[in-house]
Amino acid sequence: MADYYLDLTGFVCPVPLIRTKEKIKELAFGDILSIKTEHPRAVRNIMDWACHEGYSFDVDDEENGVWRITLRKGQEEYNESQ
Amino acid sequence: MKKNRDILESIIWAFFIVLLAVILSRMEFGLLSVLVFGLGLGYILQRSRFCIASAYSDLVLFKEGKLFRALIIFILISTLGFTLVELSGDGQGFVVAVGGHTILGAILFGCGMVLAGGCAAGTLMRLGEGYILFIPVLVGLIGGSTLGAYHYNYWGTAQSFSKTVFLPDAMGWPLAVGMQICFLIFFWLVVRHLENK
């Protein structure tokens, strides 16, 4: 299980979700991806997509207008494979 | 500490808004309603995270149609509101003929909106949030609008396919509004189909 980090500050929609989807393909099940963004719509997009994929996630307000989304790739599938 | 700073900032902004409201109401009372509506719409836009650019790009790129369906509801409500205003005789819609300028304008606006990450309202809202990345977008928006307004007459007349057709005049209000609602329901079903694909 490894931790990955993606700094997407300075990118507007739809780039953050495209980059997140590209990055998540490189991750193994159970790995954690931490994403930093300051685009509010991107936060909602990534949350909706994570819900759709069934990934567990957490959103933190790092500072005013900057969010960090921490998501785990397919936790359930990871548990099943143990 | 952060909370105290937020409260202080809110008080300062509230003071400036009240000051602006007083100045506007002394100039012309109607301007006050414009300020109230502007603040209300801006607040709703910001809190709902509604974005017209994302409505299109999410549907095309990610097959996510939640925002596009919201856009359909938005057009439906606007249609009914527009009908009421027109029928009450208080306002007059600005209708121009469809033509080459419609196609060119749609492509330019669509590409610009998705590349910049926001339409006109979205750009203003994000600037209001303090997102400085949208300053060059606003400059481009003002520049483009000014350029468009400068030679608007050429595009409005020389490129038209036909004379101006206003559907309620051509087929009556009930049929025109009914047809528009049917189209919107059809688009809604198409979006649902694309999402479930």
Side-chain angles (χ1 to χ4, degrees):
Chain A
M1 201 167 73
D3 288 353
Y4 293 87
Y5 175 65
L6 206 52
D7 185 356
L8 296 173
T9 47
F11 291 103
V12 295
C13 279
V15 180
L17 183 54
I18 292 174
R19 291 274 169 93
T20 304
K21 284 171 108 172
E22 280 172 0
K23 187 73 188 172
I24 208 92
K25 280 181 192 161
E26 300 169 13
L27 270 67
F29 285 114
D31 284 352
I32 290 170
L33 177 62
S34 187
I35 305 149
K36 186 179 176 184
T37 179
E38 90 269 63
H39 195 59
R41 185 64 225 165
V43 179
R44 174 57 61 190
N45 266 359
I46 294 169
M47 282 165 66
D48 285 346
W49 166 77
C51 274
H52 184 259
E53 295 293 319
Y55 299 160
S56 57
F57 62 90
D58 197 28
V59 182
D60 285 318
D61 232 347
E62 269 204 351
E63 52 186 291
N64 264 351
V66 181
W67 294 270
R68 183 184 286 264
I69 309 158
T70 311
L71 57 89
R72 186 183 291 270
K73 183 175 177 179
Q75 180 59 46
E76 285 166 22
E77 288 167 71
Y78 170 74
N79 282 340
E80 279 167 16
S81 66
Q82 294 298 294
Chain B
M1 188 68 184
K2 184 173 171 280
K3 203 169 180 178
N4 285 346
R5 203 186 66 187
D6 286 349
I7 292 170
L8 186 68
E9 277 180 13
S10 303
I11 291 169
I12 293 170
W13 278 113
F15 172 75
F16 277 113
I17 290 168
V18 171
L19 191 68
L20 185 65
V22 172
I23 294 168
L24 289 179
S25 62
R26 283 182 174 238
M27 284 165 68
E28 193 188 323
F29 199 73
L31 289 174
L32 192 62
S33 62
V34 175
L35 177 73
V36 171
F37 271 105
L39 285 170
L41 290 173
Y43 183 78
I44 293 166
L45 196 66
Q46 202 268 341
R47 300 315 295 172
S48 64
R49 298 265 178 263
F50 187 72
C51 176
I52 294 174
S54 288
Y56 289 96
S57 63
D58 286 1
L59 184 67
V60 174
L61 291 169
F62 312 123
K63 299 226 174 1
E64 168 60 58
K66 202 194 277 180
L67 270 179
F68 201 91
R69 281 186 280 121
L71 186 65
I72 292 173
I73 295 172
F74 164 66
I75 299 171
L76 183 74
I77 295 169
S78 303
T79 303
L80 299 174
F82 182 80
T83 308
L84 283 176
V85 171
E86 285 279 323
L87 289 179
S88 68
D90 286 343
Q92 180 59 53
F94 181 59
V95 187
V96 291
V98 71
H101 58 287
T102 319
I103 298 167
L104 187 70
I107 292 171
L108 271 176
F109 188 73
C111 291
M113 179 170 75
V114 172
L115 284 175
C119 63
T123 301
L124 291 175
M125 180 197 81
R126 288 189 183 112
L127 258 178
E129 282 182 324
Y131 207 156
I132 55 168
L133 206 67
F134 278 85
I135 292 176
V137 180
L138 183 71
V139 172
L141 186 74
I142 294 169
S145 308
T146 310
L147 207 64
Y150 185 66
H151 48 75
Y152 180 79
N153 285 339
Y154 165 74
W155 295 104
T157 52
Q159 305 296 318
S160 300
F161 291 156
S162 67
K163 65 181 175 63
T164 308
V165 178
F166 186 47
L167 288 179
D169 284 346
M171 58 174 75
W173 279 97
L175 197 59
V177 174
M179 202 172 79
Q180 170 118 332
I181 292 170
C182 287
F183 267 117
L184 291 172
I185 293 170
F186 172 72
F187 282 133
W188 177 285
L189 294 172
V190 170
V191 173
R192 289 302 288 184
H193 175 72
L194 286 172
E195 279 182 300
N196 295 328
K197 231 174 157 180

